[in-house]
Amino acid sequence: MPNLKLSPFLIKTINSIASMSVALSRLKKGLVKQRKSISAIDGGTIQLTIYEPNNPDQERSPCLVYYHGGAFVLRDFGYMHKKTCEYALRSGCKIVFVHYRLAPDHTATIILEDCYTSLEWVKDHSLELGIDPNRIAVGGDSAGGALAAAVTQLSRDRRGPRLCFQMLIYPVTDASQETESARNFVNTPGWNANLNKQMWHYYLEKADTEMMKYISPISNPSLENLPASYIEVEEWDCLRDEGIAYAKKLESCGNEVTLNYLKGTFHGFDINLKKSIVQAALNARISALQNAFKLPT
């Protein structure tokens, strides 16, 4: 595992398996699913999967725009959809699951713009989607956490959709990889420092220097005026310390932050939703979403 090479062949193989896992996934009872294709800024196409509770009486629902993990090079797996379906059912929100395009075929800037364009599309089409434009949040796990954090910053800087919340699950935040956990966790399950270096190699190839403060979210000199955040980190994860550092920097800039440090866990531990430790993590995430989506009294 510490010497595993993320070769183009391995990436292609894993993505084929991931595609099959999504195709074999069954829609959870109580949800409705639809697919949308939207235009990207470069003329390409972004695919979206939308999950919503089958609740015809609710006119305007909150929405979580979700960016999946996968080192910026891997597509979504079926278990990721199962988790987001849990968020939808138990928090009463709609999920817009973004199938952003991937490195190395696409640059970091294109990937970020795919993610931001998807958020803008949700806000612009909130009426027809039955979404409350004042209760839109973003979320993501791992590399998707980096994308959610970046979109949050971009939306503030571009005066785009006003977000009510961001949920970052074991997020990537720091391209420097200089934290203690990033240096030392070379043989941890799920993800490790060696794989992390390879991920950044792919993601930073042909990166636009003007976008680096978003590509590496913790490097942005301005983290003021961002929405409330829920950040989860795992004890045995090379990304642990950069997640903690990002939470502390957000808080020091005057933002509301909930940091959940889970002991005895590793990166990607939440594949099996039946495990009690996974259920506890899901409960905490869903509770954070429920609080974020409460209507003001």
Side-chain angles (χ1 to χ4, degrees), residues 116-295:
Y116 183 75
T117 296
S118 300
L119 172 63
E120 278 200 318
W121 182 86
V122 169
K123 176 64 183 297
D124 292 343
H125 294 80
S126 58
L127 181 60
E128 65 188 77
L129 292 170
I131 289 170
D132 183 346
N134 297 311
R135 291 189 291 160
I136 297 175
V138 295
D141 58 281
S142 193
L147 297 172
V151 165
T152 301
Q153 295 177 12
L154 280 167
S155 195
R156 176 202 61 186
D157 294 346
R158 294 176 177 179
R159 299 188 179 183
R162 186 166 183 173
L163 298 170
C164 69
F165 185 64
Q166 63 175 339
M167 182 172 75
L168 313 179
I169 308 302
Y170 37 81
V172 172
T173 68
D174 191 353
S176 73
Q177 305 168 72
E178 293 177 351
T179 65
E180 182 179 355
S181 61
R183 292 194 307 268
N184 296 336
F185 286 177
V186 297
N187 197 26
T188 47
W191 194 245
N192 60 51
N194 169 55
L195 292 171
N196 208 47
K197 288 179 182 178
Q198 296 179 63
M199 172 194 73
W200 279 112
H201 170 76
Y202 282 119
Y203 193 41
L204 293 179
E205 188 175 0
K206 299 178 182 177
D208 183 345
T209 55
E210 292 184 3
M211 294 293 283
M212 275 304 300
K213 64 182 179 181
Y214 304 114
I215 292 169
S216 179
I218 201 168
S219 69
N220 196 322
S222 173
L223 293 184
E224 290 80 13
N225 301 314
L226 293 173
S229 305
Y230 174 87
I231 299 177
E232 178 187 304
V233 298
E234 318 308 329
E235 182 177 12
W236 302 108
D237 182 5
C238 64
L239 302 178
R240 179 196 67 198
D241 293 346
E242 64 194 68
I244 294 171
Y246 192 60
K248 289 181 177 179
K249 188 172 180 181
L250 284 170
E251 195 167 42
S252 71
C253 291
N255 303 293
E256 180 185 341
V257 180
T258 298
L259 175 65
N260 189 6
Y261 182 121
L262 295 184
K263 292 189 175 182
T265 55
F266 55 88
H267 193 94
F269 77 102
D270 50 349
I271 291 178
N272 187 345
L273 301 186
K274 295 181 181 179
K275 295 289 186 180
S276 59
I277 194 169
V278 176
Q279 281 297 312
L282 289 179
N283 289 342
R285 298 171 194 174
I286 290 162
S287 177
L289 286 171
Q290 289 171 337
N291 288 332
F293 289 144
K294 282 181 181 176
L295 287 168

Side-chain angles (χ1 to χ4, degrees), residues 22-28 30-36 48-54 81 85 95 99:
V22 172
L24 293 172
S25 296
R26 294 183 177 181
L27 183 64
K28 199 168 179 85
L31 290 176
V32 177
K33 172 184 174 182
Q34 60 176 312
R35 296 292 298 266
K36 294 282 187 181
L48 308 175
T49 301
I50 303 174
Y51 297 103
E52 55 185 303
N54 187 11
H81 289 265
C85 284
I95 302 285
H99 303 269

